[in-house]
Amino acid sequence: MSNFIEEVKRNIPSNTKILPSVIVAQAILESARGTSELARKANNLFGIKGNYNGQSYTVRTKEYLNGRWTTVNAAFKKYPSYRESIIDHGNFFTSTPWRTQNYRNVLNAKDYKTQARALQSSGYATDPQYANKLINLIETNNLSSLDGNNGGNSVGYTIVNQMNPSMYKYNAPYSMQPLEICIHNTANTATARNEVAYMNRTANYTSYHVAIDDKEAVQAIPFNRNAFAAGDGANGRGNRRAIHIEICYSLDGGNNGHQSARYLKAEENAALYTAYVLHQYGWGVDKVKKHQDYSGKYCPHVILANGKWNWFKNRVQQHLNAIKKGSSSASKKTTSKPKVSKKPQGVSEKGWSFAGTFVASETIVVRRGYKSTGAPRLHLNKPVAEGSYLRPGDFINFDHVWFADGYWWVRFKYPGRKDSNYYFVPLGVRNPAVSFGKAKLWGKLTKLSTKKDSKVLDWHKKNAIK
């Protein structure tokens, strides 16, 4: 889906009256991420009816009429490319005096939630859940970052998981309980994704946990494994106890030269991300170190050359203060606090015979494990397979709950599968002061029961894992 989103983004005109986040969400919803017949055969991403320069395409479609869904034949505009579809979509709202008046609340909206609801209330779509679906798509795909200062809940970066466990034997061979955060400059001009991609294919003992650019924070190594970035030896505190964050684009203006606009944005994103990591661990800004503190290396070189280290720590503190207060200004600049990606390694933990249903509101990696003889035992070795996720809206029924490595975990089985494996998903960070039933999780719990033999080991929704 990311390729589809990027293609839609590239074709959004700069003078659009519809927020980019809403445009992309509508395209995802109305075209089934570019896979619908209309999108494939007519480049029509928004289901706009009529003809475009005399071209149309007729399909059978469902509409919500008189309180029920009805199937009808309808002619839709056929476009030469996505770009014409997106431009025509923007023009639709002002193409006649009546539309300009009818959609005035849509055109005047300053944030995606207001605009999505205005689309529904103005009669743009017949689906009674249209606004909620758009808002959910925007929030689960972090699209509000596209809106800049107009987005109301705009984000500074998207969090991306680009881990490669097959390389851990080289770049993250040891388990780790982190104690602090180390800040670096990449001394490169590559994007965060490219930085991580290079590390993931290079078998050497140089590594880091996260690379951050002007758009993304890309995680390469989970925080419970070490990274070799401090230069203080195989057993040095930095290499064995620090979370390492690389700020990209630091060579845009030379080694100690001009700070480009995209570098400054990456630097700001890194300050915000760092604040969220501090908040998650309950640390203060005193836990933020520079590479130079461990080995004397002149790094982060751009921050040091411009005398900005104290400024950077102060900026982290400002974000941390806002996060602790629940400030809306902080939430406007990031997708969510970065989740510490844990991977329990076969440790026996306390479990409860709780059963229930869980519906995810975020994408969660599913892992395989087993129950050993004797006491219940959580043993997680690796993800089920590449792309094995519980996605937003997917349901599972579970029969047991564990607390392991700071997370709540539940288990289930595939229906009809002959193997005896259990499968596990983390549901959220555990606060010891809050019970499981009242915990703030990455989704919603229902039908929670303490009945031991509930036998709810089947998927509630088919094909939730591919």
Side-chain angles (χ1 to χ4, degrees), residues 385-426:
E386 184 68 25
S388 298
Y389 302 106
L390 184 64
R391 295 182 173 85
D394 287 344
F395 294 76
I396 58 167
N397 291 324
F398 59 90
D399 79 324
H400 206 89
V401 176
W402 273 274
F403 162 55
D405 268 9
Y407 287 78
W408 291 110
W409 294 79
V410 296
R411 75 177 180 187
F412 63 93
K413 277 189 175 181
Y414 283 105
R417 184 171 286 192
K418 294 181 179 180
D419 66 44
S420 60
N421 286 331
Y422 284 98
Y423 295 87
F424 296 84
V425 285

Side-chain angles (χ1 to χ4, degrees), residues 121-409:
S121 63
S122 64
Y124 177 83
T126 56
D127 183 351
Q129 292 298 314
Y130 190 76
N132 290 336
K133 289 178 180 178
L134 291 182
I135 291 169
N136 182 62
L137 283 168
I138 290 169
E139 293 178 347
T140 57
N141 290 281
N142 304 317
L143 299 177
S144 55
S145 60
L146 306 178
D147 298 336
N149 294 329
N150 295 324
N153 289 311
S154 62
V155 300
Y157 55 83
T158 299
I159 297 173
V160 177
N161 183 334
Q162 201 167 312
M163 300 181 196
N164 182 8
S166 67
M167 296 298 289
Y168 289 172
K169 61 184 177 181
Y170 300 109
N171 56 33
Y174 304 110
S175 61
M176 178 181 82
Q177 180 62 45
L179 298 178
E180 51 209 8
I181 301 171
C182 179
I183 303 300
H184 305 256
N185 283 140
T186 59
N188 210 325
T189 59
T191 66
R193 286 194 187 222
N194 287 344
E195 292 283 1
V196 172
Y198 176 79
M199 189 188 84
N200 279 341
R201 66 175 181 266
T202 306
N204 60 33
Y205 295 93
T206 301
S207 54
Y208 47 84
H209 291 90
V210 180
I212 299 178
D213 62 22
D214 56 332
K215 297 177 181 177
E216 295 180 325
V218 181
Q219 186 158 6
I221 296 172
F223 293 164
N224 67 335
R225 300 198 70 84
N226 83 301
F228 295 117
D232 61 349
N235 296 311
R237 181 183 176 92
N239 279 340
R240 294 294 292 272
R241 293 293 186 179
I243 295 169
H244 294 277
I245 296 175
E246 294 273 357
I247 305 174
C248 296
Y249 304 140
S250 61
L251 281 187
D252 276 4
N255 192 56
N256 300 316
H258 173 70
Q259 301 168 87
S260 68
R262 67 175 186 170
Y263 169 77
L264 291 173
K265 178 62 173 164
E267 197 174 71
E268 173 67 15
N269 287 345
L272 184 58
Y273 185 94
T274 300
Y276 271 113
V277 176
L278 291 176
H279 181 63
Q280 183 150 339
Y281 279 101
W283 296 341
V285 75
D286 61 300
K287 295 289 188 177
V288 180
K289 311 293 182 181
K290 54 186 180 294
H291 185 176
Q292 188 181 52
D293 294 333
Y294 295 103
S295 62
K297 183 176 180 179
Y298 194 68
C299 179
H301 66 95
V302 171
I303 290 176
L304 292 175
N306 288 277
K308 294 178 66 177
W309 179 243
N310 287 335
W311 172 89
F312 182 83
K313 291 185 69 173
N314 288 337
R315 191 65 179 136
V316 172
Q317 185 67 62
Q318 290 171 4
H319 287 308
L320 184 59
N321 293 342
I323 293 165
K324 288 180 177 179
K325 293 177 181 178
S327 168
S328 60
S329 63
S331 65
K332 289 177 182 177
K333 294 180 180 179
T334 185
T335 56
S336 62
K337 62 183 180 181
K339 295 179 177 57
V340 182
S341 179
K342 300 285 188 178
K343 188 178 178 181
Q345 297 295 314
V347 295
S348 181
E349 298 285 357
K350 186 176 181 180
W352 295 266
S353 294
F354 293 163
T357 299
F358 175 77
V359 56
S361 60
E362 303 188 28
T363 300
I364 309 171
V365 175
V366 175
R367 299 186 184 277
R368 180 169 53 242
Y370 63 86
K371 177 184 175 183
S372 64
T373 58
R377 182 178 176 86
L378 179 64
H379 187 105
L380 305 177
N381 45 22
K382 61 182 180 180
V384 177
E386 184 68 25
S388 298
Y389 302 106
L390 184 64
R391 295 182 173 85
D394 287 344
F395 294 76
I396 58 167
N397 291 324
F398 59 90
D399 79 324
H400 206 89
V401 176
W402 273 274
F403 162 55
D405 268 9
Y407 287 78
W408 291 110
W409 294 79

